[in-house]
Structures are given as C-alpha cells and as structure tokens.
Amino acid sequence: MTKQKHRPERTCVSCRRSADQDQLVRYVATPTGQVVVDYQHKLPGRGTYTCFDHSCITRAVQRRAFARSLKNAQVDVNIDTLIEGLRDQIRLRILNLIGMARKAGLVASGSQLVLSSLKKPGELSFVVLSCDITQGVGDKVRQQAARACIPLIECFDKATLGHALGLSERSVLALKESPLAQTLNHELQRYRDVMGEF
Ligand SMILES: [Zn+2]
C-alpha cells in the first residue's frame, strides 16, 4: 500500500489503462507545438502518456488524443516521427545497457562462448542474435537455446551489437543472470511492443 503512494500512476490516453508512470511513454509538446517523446520523463511542461504499444500510440494519434490531453489544439503529431523517435530512444537505452553489462562482466559474446555457456544451467538470462547472423551459426544457437529453455531475441545487426560491446561486429551475445539483464530484457520487450515486431 505505502509503495503505491510513492509511485504516481498515469493513464494511457488511448486505452485508459492506468499504470505506474515508469511503465508508460511520456510525451510533451515543444514550444513550436510538435509532440515529442520524453523517454526519460524529464522534459518540462504538461505531459501525456500512452502504453508502449504500437496500436495504442497509433490510436491516440488517429483520435487526436494528444491535442485534447495536452490542451493544445494546434499540436502537430506525425505518427511515423513519433514511433521513430521512440524506437531510437529505446534502441539507445538498450545499446547503453549492453555496454554497461559488458563492463560489469555480464555479457558472453561470440557463438563459441555463448554455445558453451548455454550448457551450464542457470548461467544465462537470455540470448541476443543479430538479424544478419550467418544461417548455420544462427540455427545452432537457436537450437541450443531452445534446448536450454533460454529466451532468444533477434534484433539489430552485427555491426550495431558489436559497437555496443566496443567491437567491430558481433552476431551473438548473451546476458548472464542479473538484475541488469532483467532491465535489458524489459527494454527489449518494449522495443518489440513499439515496433509491433522485430
Ligand atoms: Zn494503452
């Protein structure tokens, strides 16, 4: 009960679902009237919220819900710009988290290391495969992860994953069980929700 008091709830302007504000996307209008994503919940001014869900965001735009809730009939909302802005911010957060996890020694990267780690029960939280992984290697990792009942997420390309790790390219990495891995997994789910799919 007391915990609830310290965590302000907000309502999705689209489906009216109430949730802890950290679970929702915040938007504000710029001085020129453009609606932008405030991913860190830090921008000043009146904010409005939606779920991290492609359909909620789309519906809010279609129903002119941003203009109503921001009390600004002139606001300019472009659905593609909005989704793209949100996608870029989550992506940045994911890549930063991967970098933090690497520094904390919580990342296994490269197919050999990931395949051998998958054989150790309780070692890994989840596996990330790049979308441009070589098919043979990808299949091997997918099979091994399925056998170990470890979730596997396919996203980004090997250059992007490599960059997050301070390497040139990486097509396979895995997060070791840790609170940071949970946070990262959460952001990856959000990314998936916003994109509709990977
Ligand atoms: Zn919603």
Side-chain angles (χ1 to χ4, degrees):
M1 285 296 275
T2 47
K3 206 175 166 194
Q4 293 268 330
K5 275 185 189 167
H6 299 288
R7 301 178 78 97
E9 289 223 327
R10 295 289 183 268
T11 304
C12 168
V13 77
S14 191
C15 70
R16 313 307 301 176
R17 179 176 76 94
S18 285
D20 184 312
Q21 65 174 355
D22 295 342
Q23 304 301 314
L24 299 170
V25 191
R26 183 173 192 263
Y27 307 85
V28 295
T30 64
T32 54
Q34 216 194 353
V35 177
V36 293
V37 173
D38 173 23
Y39 198 62
Q40 307 287 338
H41 291 233
K42 279 183 181 160
L43 296 177
R46 175 180 277 274
T48 190
Y49 298 80
T50 69
C51 305
F52 279 88
D53 186 285
H54 196 280
S55 63
C56 270
I57 301 167
T58 310
R59 241 179 298 135
V61 174
Q62 286 164 350
R63 294 178 184 170
R64 298 188 46 76
F66 288 109
R68 272 198 306 278
S69 60
L70 291 167
K71 300 201 186 302
N72 180 350
Q74 307 303 318
V75 291
D76 175 22
V77 195
N78 178 295
I79 183 68
D80 294 333
T81 314
L82 214 56
I83 297 274
E84 217 170 278
L86 182 55
R87 186 198 64 193
D88 287 351
Q89 294 196 48
I90 304 177
R91 178 189 161 99
L92 191 66
R93 169 112 171 108
I94 290 170
L95 297 174
N96 283 337
L97 285 168
I98 292 176
M100 280 168 63
R102 179 191 68 89
K103 286 184 191 135
L106 295 170
V107 176
S109 87
S111 56
Q112 292 310 319
L113 186 55
V114 170
L115 284 169
S116 66
S117 299
L118 279 168
K119 290 180 183 151
K120 299 175 196 158
E123 171 107 344
L124 299 181
S125 178
F126 61 91
V127 175
V128 182
L129 284 194
S130 73
C131 298
D132 53 356
I133 191 167
T134 317
Q135 200 182 342
V137 181
D139 286 346
K140 220 171 182 179
V141 178
R142 284 186 203 99
Q143 281 165 14
Q144 188 83 41
R147 216 172 294 145
C149 298
I150 300 292
L152 183 141
I153 297 158
E154 305 197 22
C155 63
F156 308 128
D157 56 21
K158 54 190 174 191
T160 306
L161 291 179
H163 185 71
L165 294 170
L167 303 164
S168 59
E169 287 183 345
R170 216 43 145 179
S171 51
V172 188
L173 63 90
L175 269 289
K176 297 182 184 171
E177 273 298 355
S178 57
L180 190 55
Q182 300 301 322
T183 306
L184 184 52
N185 194 13
H186 189 63
E187 294 292 335
L188 284 161
Q189 298 307 324
R190 284 179 167 179
Y191 192 77
R192 190 196 299 261
D193 290 344
V194 168
M195 299 300 286
E197 58 180 49
F198 276 138

